[in-house]
Amino acid sequence: MPTNWPFPRVDSLAPYGFGVTDEVKARVRASGADLIDLGLGNPDRPLSAPLVQRLHEAIDVPENHRYHLGTGLALARGAAAKWYARRYAADFDVEREVIVVLGAKEGISHLCLAVLGPEDVALVPDPCYPIHRGAPLIAGAAVEPYAVRRGLSPARALGDAIERVLRRGQRPKLVIANFPHNPTGIVLSKAELAEFVGEVMRAEALLLHDLAYADFAFGAPLAPSVFDIGIDASRVKQFAVEVISTSKSYNMPGARLGFMVGGARMIAALGHIKSYLDYGAFVPVQRAAAWALEHAEDVPRELCALYRTRAECLVQALGRAGFPELPKPEGTMFVWLELPPVWRALGSVGAACRLMERAQVATSPGAGFGPGGEGYLRLALVEDCPRLEEASARLGRLLSEDLGLARP
Ligand SMILES: Cc1ncc(COP(=O)(O)O)c(C=O)c1O
């Protein structure tokens, strides 16, 4: 019996970004050390009581226990459309332009599977949340990275990447974007996002925008949507979709749900492929998410304030601990830390392992977010300020030790 068949799709996928340091983390945990885990962006706060109540109520109804076929509860799609209408100058036809997904990650994966094939090229941010690069690769397409970093215009970086693809005699088919951006925390203004979308339009490409951090822009009331940037939304719908998620905004990562909105053709393509792949999200989760979008505006507002306080707290504490000054956090739930020169030779994976073993602080190595993440660590803001200060102090002590500096 041959057991050594190649698994081409899996064999060509690098290990998942957050998994590379898991073994060391498990070892440090098993030693009984007090590990401060700032690795995964896994919200630490529980669901709010009214949301738990909505889930309970819906679970108590037997007809909510069945498969739910189709594009999601009309009630949930309607709540997403109302959410958009309340926040942005953007209206969506709930029958044709909105679909429920099992979280943003699932929506992104299957949208790529639906629209990309082996001849296609997708432009993806670098660094990026791993599925932004992984989904086109899983779909068999090639990826061309465009750089995302502070001080660089994203439109310019995208334009350069498009040029590279065109020079090879190819055409970019899909641009994946994510602002507010994981892992760098970069937030774009409406004008910057419009300039970026202008590049997509010039290239006549499709656009998939991941707006999972819609509620976590620290300097503005809202992070911009690609459907409200001063370009007629009906024009943008011809080539774009956007995905939002309840995971981070409502602390629902365990009962997560997402909504993809935008052009009817792309939404129908996603619905078509999903009709083979899943039977919809658990109805109580859809009902709770719909309720959250319509009635729980205070939750994302409070969470945004919490992450902002934590970000400021961590940045200041790292500064006091001897790290070079970090830029003021703009949004998301992460701090993107450039490795100090003394740790650069270790690489981000080596540095993350050393920090875990010697300081009992877990971070995500930048390399897990793509080649452009090398030289950085991502710190998730999933602990309160005293723990973040303790983590910074431990990292500062290790830094001093490695610099050969004696601490008083
Ligand atoms: C940019 C981004 N998109 C999507 C997700 C996952 O969203 P969901 O839980 O809805 O799949 C995350 C989670 O960390 C993320 O950072």
Side-chain angles (χ1 to χ4, degrees):
M1 283 279 287
T3 54
N4 57 346
W5 289 97
F7 297 161
R9 199 158 282 125
V10 170
D11 294 344
S12 69
L13 270 185
Y16 191 66
F18 304 132
V20 286
T21 52
D22 278 357
E23 205 184 303
V24 180
K25 194 185 278 187
R27 194 162 10 95
V28 173
R29 275 225 169 90
S31 74
D34 169 29
L35 183 78
I36 303 180
D37 190 351
L38 310 180
L40 200 62
N42 197 354
D44 55 308
R45 294 282 163 109
L47 268 178
S48 68
L51 270 164
V52 174
Q53 176 74 23
R54 292 293 155 318
L55 275 171
H56 272 298
E57 283 166 12
I59 284 173
D60 282 340
V61 179
E63 52 267 38
N64 288 347
H65 300 172
R66 309 190 67 193
Y67 286 137
H68 185 78
L69 279 68
T71 55
L73 284 182
L75 173 95
R77 284 180 282 121
K82 282 188 226 157
W83 183 90
Y84 264 97
R86 216 170 45 237
R87 299 166 56 115
Y88 304 110
D91 291 312
F92 295 96
D93 172 345
V94 292
E95 295 308 324
R96 299 167 58 247
E97 296 178 336
V98 184
I99 185 169
V100 170
V101 290
L102 311 171
K105 199 171 171 181
E106 184 268 329
I108 293 164
S109 311
H110 288 146
L111 192 274
C112 287
L113 208 55
V115 307
L116 294 174
E119 304 298 316
D120 295 328
V121 181
L123 296 180
V124 304
D126 181 29
C128 67
Y129 178 56
I131 201 62
H132 297 154
R133 185 185 178 84
L137 290 174
I138 292 168
V143 296
E144 178 68 30
Y146 63 90
V148 179
R149 61 170 183 271
R150 262 171 231 274
L152 174 68
S153 145
R156 173 92 190 270
L158 180 64
D160 289 348
I162 291 170
E163 272 305 307
R164 289 197 296 275
V165 174
L166 294 176
R167 273 203 300 271
R168 291 200 300 264
Q170 296 172 301
R171 282 184 59 201
K173 181 169 180 181
L174 176 70
V175 175
I176 299 183
N178 162 225
F179 297 106
H181 182 243
N182 178 7
T184 64
I186 289 173
V187 178
L188 298 193
S189 67
K190 229 167 151 168
E192 286 168 323
L193 190 59
E195 208 192 330
F196 182 91
V197 173
E199 285 297 329
V200 179
M201 291 168 84
R202 256 189 296 286
E204 297 181 347
L206 303 172
L207 173 64
L208 164 55
H209 183 226
D210 180 351
L211 188 55
Y213 295 100
D215 291 298
F216 303 155
F218 301 151
L222 296 176
S225 155
V226 296
F227 297 107
D228 183 15
I229 45 173
I231 305 174
D232 189 348
S234 62
R235 239 179 113 198
V236 179
K237 281 182 192 174
Q238 287 168 13
F239 61 91
V241 288
E242 187 166 80
V243 67
I244 59 170
S245 163
T246 56
S247 298
K248 308 295 164 104
S249 293
Y250 298 93
N251 273 340
M252 293 177 77
R256 65 212 247 276
L257 201 76
F259 297 88
M260 198 172 281
V261 303
R265 183 163 174 247
M266 282 164 85
I267 297 294
L270 176 59
H272 189 164
I273 208 152
K274 277 171 69 65
S275 65
Y276 279 83
L277 294 168
D278 72 60
Y279 280 129
F282 189 38
V283 170
V285 171
Q286 295 196 52
R287 288 191 169 274
W291 190 87
L293 291 184
E294 289 206 62
H295 302 285
E297 264 179 71
D298 51 321
V299 175
R301 222 180 357 251
E302 281 163 19
L303 284 171
C304 181
L306 176 77
Y307 290 130
R308 182 184 183 157
T309 304
R310 287 177 175 178
E312 286 169 359
C313 188
L314 180 59
V315 163
Q316 283 165 16
L318 286 168
R320 286 197 300 276
F323 285 82
E325 197 182 331
L326 277 162
K328 197 168 159 22
E330 294 176 7
T332 73
M333 53 185 293
F334 307 108
V335 165
W336 189 232
L337 176 69
E338 188 168 7
L339 288 177
V342 69
W343 290 340
R344 275 187 206 149
L346 296 171
S348 59
V349 172
C353 291
R354 181 164 176 79
L355 269 46
M356 238 179 318
E357 285 172 327
R358 299 291 308 278
Q360 289 79 49
V361 176
T363 60
S364 285
F369 302 92
E374 188 44 88
Y376 289 82
L377 298 171
R378 192 196 71 176
L379 283 65
L381 300 164
V382 291
E383 293 277 359
D384 283 326
C385 285
R387 286 289 274 177
L388 295 173
E389 282 158 4
E390 165 66 17
S392 305
R394 289 187 197 174
L395 296 180
R397 280 195 291 275
L398 183 61
L399 181 62
S400 299
E401 225 178 278
D402 287 350
L403 286 168
L405 300 174
R407 281 255 150 183

